[in-house]
Amino acid sequence: MLLISSVPIQTRRFVTLATNDSYARGAMVLGKSLRNHKTTRKLVVMIGPHVSDPLQRGASKIFDEVLLVDVLDSGDRAHLALMKRPDLGVTFTKLHCWTLTHYSKCVFMDADTMVVQNVDELFDREELSAAPDPGWPDCFNSGVFVFRPSNETYGKLLKYCTEHGSFDGGDQGVLNGYFSNWATADISKHLPFIYNLSSIAIYTYLPAFKQYGGNAKVVHFLGQTKPWSYTFDPETKRISGDMQEASTHPTFLLDWWMLYSSSVVPMMTEGYGEQPFHSGCVEVSLEGSSASQDPHHTEPYVSPQASEERKQKWEQGQADYMGMDSFDNIQKKLDAFLK
């Protein structure tokens, strides 16, 4: 069931989705980042039934509208479609944003994104505008996209889901299948990568990150390990967690936690006793690994077997980002090569 308030027609909104408490926290960081960078648009968050009441109340302090979405029990076309494809439940929840027809145009942003510059100009784009995915650039990444709510489009998307499914098991596969001409039809719908800087791409093309990274407007924390998978000490500005699984540059991860601890946590502790995340992992400083801080450090000898294992870990997205494969170490290698 979707509960919405009455708002004027011809409105434009930033929209995000939180299906559980962790993603609700991420959504609040996203909302605060949009506010901090002076957006002139109102903010909407779709909240799933598994988000706790305290987190819903916290979201209402940041977002202009909190919409309760429960596609699994909605009794609408999505419910009927799920009878055939229950594996696409979360995907259907995200596609539900096309039913927000009391808005004229929206920019959808995943709850694991963070704005680092104002992005209001995205509303000048048309549906379906999105940035290329770093893993397969002929596909767009569905973490940030411009769309026009439409019940007709929603119905067609559901039909596509039930007939074709999703080639990647999620919403990105469905949307790329439905908007299949994105790669070739209209270049104006290709958002520059700075609007969806997928964190893993920082390590796969370091020279480009060095050249263009300062222009980034939206950072997307892709991968299984999200910012909220760690803990943060605001006094020492240190993050605790398994940093070898980190899939983003430490600076962005630190920025996320600084925003969460300074703006979201105080809001949540007003009567609700919000506690920080705990991972039970050894604390690691984001100011750099001990190797990168040591001016006399040299990269250790790597045996052929270890080198092959390292290659396999890179291919599996498990590079040692805080050790041998740290940003500083790789940058030193590139600098030496380019001299």
Side-chain angles (χ1 to χ4, degrees), residues 46-258:
M46 298 190 295
I47 295 287
H50 300 298
V51 176
S52 64
D53 289 341
L55 269 296
Q56 290 189 34
R57 289 191 291 266
S60 69
K61 298 177 183 180
I62 297 174
F63 290 85
D64 297 287
E65 296 176 75
V66 177
L67 310 181
L68 305 181
V69 184
D70 189 351
V71 173
L72 291 174
D73 298 321
S74 64
D76 60 12
R77 286 176 293 177
H79 176 74
L80 297 176
L82 282 168
M83 299 296 289
K84 298 179 181 179
R85 295 301 303 270
D87 55 307
L88 296 175
V90 175
T91 294
F92 284 157
T93 305
K94 187 170 183 178
L95 299 183
H96 215 59
C97 63
W98 265 272
T99 68
L100 307 179
T101 53
H102 51 304
Y103 310 136
S104 60
K105 186 188 290 186
C106 299
V107 174
F108 184 90
M109 304 183 73
D110 275 347
D112 59 351
T113 61
M114 179 179 68
V115 170
V116 294
Q117 292 189 55
N118 184 282
V119 292
D120 284 2
E121 68 272 16
L122 285 175
F123 289 97
D124 296 334
R125 304 281 183 147
E126 285 301 327
E127 181 181 84
L128 187 287
S129 291
D133 187 85
W136 196 265
D138 281 344
C139 292
F140 58 83
N141 184 279
S142 61
V144 178
F145 61 85
V146 182
F147 71 101
R148 286 188 176 274
S150 162
N151 285 323
E152 180 182 0
T153 303
Y154 177 64
K156 290 179 179 179
L157 282 166
L158 292 182
K159 182 179 180 181
Y160 183 89
C161 278
T162 56
E163 292 180 353
H164 304 284
S166 168
F167 68 77
D168 67 354
D171 62 272
Q172 184 161 305
V174 171
L175 291 175
N176 272 278
Y178 181 79
F179 295 99
S180 59
N181 66 347
W182 173 85
T184 57
D186 186 352
I187 193 65
S188 70
K189 294 181 180 180
H190 289 211
L191 295 181
F193 196 58
I194 58 172
Y195 288 102
N196 191 345
L197 178 61
S198 303
S199 53
I200 58 174
I202 294 171
Y203 290 95
T204 56
Y205 196 4
L206 281 171
F209 175 71
K210 182 177 179 181
Q211 179 72 14
Y212 304 111
N215 299 324
K217 295 200 169 190
V218 179
V219 177
H220 190 180
F221 297 96
L222 283 178
Q224 192 171 20
T225 306
K226 302 299 183 183
W228 51 82
S229 302
Y230 307 93
T231 58
F232 175 70
D233 184 337
E235 294 184 1
T236 62
K237 296 181 175 57
R238 293 171 67 92
I239 290 180
S240 300
D242 187 355
M243 300 307 297
Q244 291 193 11
E245 294 184 3
S247 59
T248 187
H249 191 271
T251 299
F252 293 129
L253 188 58
L254 181 58
D255 288 345
W256 189 97
W257 269 103
M258 291 290 288

Side-chain angles (χ1 to χ4, degrees), residues 14 30-39 43 109 115 119:
F14 283 104
L30 169 61
K32 286 298 295 183
S33 69
L34 283 162
R35 299 281 189 206
N36 289 352
H37 292 286
K38 311 301 181 183
T39 180
L43 313 182
M109 304 183 73
V115 170
V119 292

